Amino acid sequence: MIKVQITSPTTTYDLYILRNKTTVALSVSSTDLPTVTNFSLTTVDEEMAHYFENYIAAEVASRFQPKMANTDFLSGLQYLISTVLANWQSTATLLPD
């Protein structure tokens, strides 16, 4: 698991990259939002999953910094969603109270 935490002036965002055999997942959560958004990709084998894990980690590393303005974070996230994650499955899950 890879965890990236981004602090903005008003909230903290957490990005998690997880790989479980042939599935790679990116989870996005925030201290201000009641949901976790998950993007997942299932591959044909573990080697391909490892490739996509490294690929998404490199994309996250190139787009996000430990401290960013909200607009910069959201712009980077929108870019990832519309390009890199466009063919990944997405779900949103409510956080428990």
Side-chain angles (χ1 to χ4, degrees):
M1 176 178 71
I2 300 168
K3 178 183 177 185
V4 178
Q5 191 168 68
I6 297 106
T7 304
S8 75
T10 59
T11 191
T12 299
Y13 299 97
D14 291 315
L15 303 177
Y16 296 93
I17 301 169
L18 307 154
R19 179 173 56 94
N20 183 6
K21 296 192 179 189
T22 61
T23 301
V24 180
L26 172 69
S27 298
V28 181
S29 63
S30 167
T31 54
D32 288 346
L33 299 175
T35 61
V36 174
T37 303
N38 299 298
F39 299 91
S40 64
L41 178 71
T42 302
T43 63
V44 294
D45 59 30
E46 291 184 41
E47 186 175 318
M48 187 63 76
H50 184 70
Y51 168 83
F52 278 104
E53 177 188 34
N54 289 334
Y55 178 73
I56 195 66
E59 286 290 326
V60 166
S62 71
R63 305 234 172 260
F64 301 103
Q65 301 171 7
K67 293 188 182 208
M68 298 178 74
N70 277 330
T71 54
D72 293 338
F73 172 80
L74 294 173
S75 176
L77 185 59
Q78 177 59 38
Y79 174 83
L80 281 181
I81 291 169
S82 64
T83 58
V84 177
L85 303 172
N87 295 320
W88 291 38
Q89 294 179 336
S90 63
T91 59
T93 308
L94 287 173
L95 293 172
D97 290 334

